[in-house]
Amino acid sequence: MKNLNVALVRLLQFVVFVLFTFIVLVYFGTMILLPLDMVVLMAKFLNVFGIGTLFGAIVAVPVVAFLGKIVYSTPGLIQMIIDNGIDLVNTGKQRVEAFNKFAEAAK
């Protein structure tokens, strides 16, 4: 019975690990893909007004770059975004390590 309890604790530990890994990957992936999505949306928006998608993308890239520069130059904003991601990583690590106490108790 003890081996079953340890196996269940380890299974739950693995599930929590996978969950937090997924959350961190989604968080940082969103930060990377957000400017690309803005370019696509601006190009589609300009296509509604009759400007071709290629020309719309050529116009949208500098606009998104300028908006990125504004976000980057905002004091503390980038550091706060990175700190939030690091906090997610640390929280996940703490939650995964918390299962070790239960596994030791079940042995």
Side-chain angles (χ1 to χ4, degrees):
M1 191 66 172
K2 288 184 178 184
N3 289 337
L4 180 62
N5 289 341
V6 172
L8 288 175
V9 168
R10 294 296 181 194
L11 176 66
L12 288 173
Q13 184 180 23
F14 178 71
V15 169
V16 169
F17 171 74
V18 169
L19 178 71
F20 274 100
T21 302
F22 177 74
I23 291 170
V24 168
L25 288 175
V26 167
Y27 182 78
F28 285 112
T30 302
M31 295 303 143
I32 292 171
L33 290 177
L34 192 63
L36 179 62
D37 186 47
M38 289 175 59
V39 169
V40 170
L41 289 176
M42 283 184 175
K44 286 182 181 180
F45 180 72
L46 292 174
N47 196 18
V48 170
F49 293 112
I51 298 173
T53 306
L54 178 64
F55 185 70
I58 291 171
V59 170
V61 168
V63 171
V64 171
F66 179 72
L67 291 174
K69 181 184 176 292
I70 290 173
V71 168
Y72 186 74
S73 64
T74 303
L77 183 61
I78 296 296
Q79 189 60 41
M80 183 188 70
I81 291 171
I82 292 172
D83 287 343
N84 285 338
I86 298 300
D87 287 343
L88 279 174
V89 170
N90 290 335
T91 302
K93 184 179 178 214
Q94 290 170 356
R95 297 296 173 235
V96 169
E97 288 176 352
F99 280 96
N100 289 334
K101 290 188 294 187
F102 295 113
E104 289 296 323
K107 283 185 181 178

